[in-house]
Amino acid sequence: PNLRESVAALWANGEYRLPLLASICLISLGIAIKSGLFPFHFWMADTYGEAIPTSSGILSGLVSKGYIFFLLKVVFDVFGTDVFYGSGINNVFYFLGALGIIFGSIGAVKENHIFRMCAYSSAAQIGYIYFAFGISPTVGVVASLYQIFNHSFTKPALFLTSYRLSKVSGGAKKFKNIEGAGKRDPFSSAVFTIEALSMI
């Protein structure tokens, strides 16, 4: 709290405003890259799509959210919401989050590799988190936290059930080669469907 108050005082009197703004920008940029915010999301398809399913589930469901929690911690405990939202960086998150939703969803729809499709879907979900975070420090952050909670459970389940559907199809990962996997493993298919609908 003392650090937050000191930062707020510096911001209010205009002293060191440029270094403060640069700090906010650099920290935000680093976290945006690590968490996969558009346009830094392209690594996700290769990483999540090629890793073993348990790793993909942990990376997409938990690890990427750790960076966002760190950002929230910095915003609320170091810079303060008045300074952070006053800097206008939240508007950048709002805009990039919206683009992440659009382009992540387009990437998922166009993809014919089941694991890469789930990875692009994660990019879209990260977009939702930043989009809500950019709206406001109250309702927006609550919505962002809800999405983090939801995604942390559903995305690992999607990767694991994708693996099961692939396994019962001889290890195939392309949609044309896993046709009928739902009949071969009805339970995994049902869980996949429920989790996919929960993402929507």
Side-chain angles (χ1 to χ4, degrees):
N2 291 334
L3 180 57
R4 186 176 65 238
E5 291 168 7
S6 298
V7 169
L10 288 173
W11 184 265
N13 65 25
E15 190 177 2
Y16 303 115
R17 181 165 285 200
L18 185 59
L20 277 174
L21 186 59
S23 299
I24 294 171
C25 288
L26 290 173
I27 291 171
S28 298
L29 176 64
I31 293 173
I33 293 170
K34 296 293 283 184
S35 58
L37 176 63
F38 178 91
F40 312 110
H41 68 292
F42 293 104
W43 61 267
M44 298 173 82
D46 293 329
T47 304
Y48 299 170
E50 301 302 327
I52 60 173
T54 48
S55 295
S56 297
I58 292 170
L59 286 169
S60 66
L62 299 175
V63 175
S64 60
K65 310 308 178 304
Y67 297 114
I68 300 173
F69 272 117
F70 175 71
L71 175 63
L72 290 171
K73 187 81 172 165
V74 170
V75 168
F76 281 89
D77 291 345
V78 178
F79 294 118
T81 55
D82 290 341
V83 173
F84 183 81
Y85 284 83
S87 71
I89 300 300
N90 63 299
N91 294 322
V92 176
F93 282 154
Y94 179 84
F95 179 69
L96 293 180
L99 291 177
I101 294 167
I102 294 167
F103 287 99
S105 299
I106 290 172
V109 170
K110 290 174 62 178
E111 188 58 61
N112 62 3
H113 184 293
I114 190 167
F115 296 145
R116 291 176 65 88
M117 179 200 69
C118 290
Y120 276 115
S121 170
S122 285
Q125 300 304 320
I126 293 291
Y128 280 109
I129 293 167
Y130 278 101
F131 179 81
F133 178 56
I135 292 173
S136 76
T138 52
V139 176
V141 169
V142 170
S144 184
L145 289 171
Y146 174 78
Q147 179 64 9
I148 289 171
F149 178 79
N150 178 51
H151 191 258
S152 296
F153 284 97
T154 54
K155 188 56 66 168
L158 275 172
F159 273 109
L160 292 174
T161 52
S162 296
Y163 169 71
R164 287 291 307 156
L165 296 174
S166 171
K167 188 174 181 181
V168 298
S169 303
K173 297 172 184 175
K174 299 287 180 73
F175 286 115
K176 64 180 180 180
N177 297 325
I178 61 173
E179 186 175 341
K183 293 180 180 178
R184 293 187 289 274
D185 190 345
F187 176 76
S188 294
S189 177
V191 173
F192 183 92
T193 302
I194 292 168
E195 300 299 343
L197 289 172
S198 76
M199 288 277 91
I200 297 170

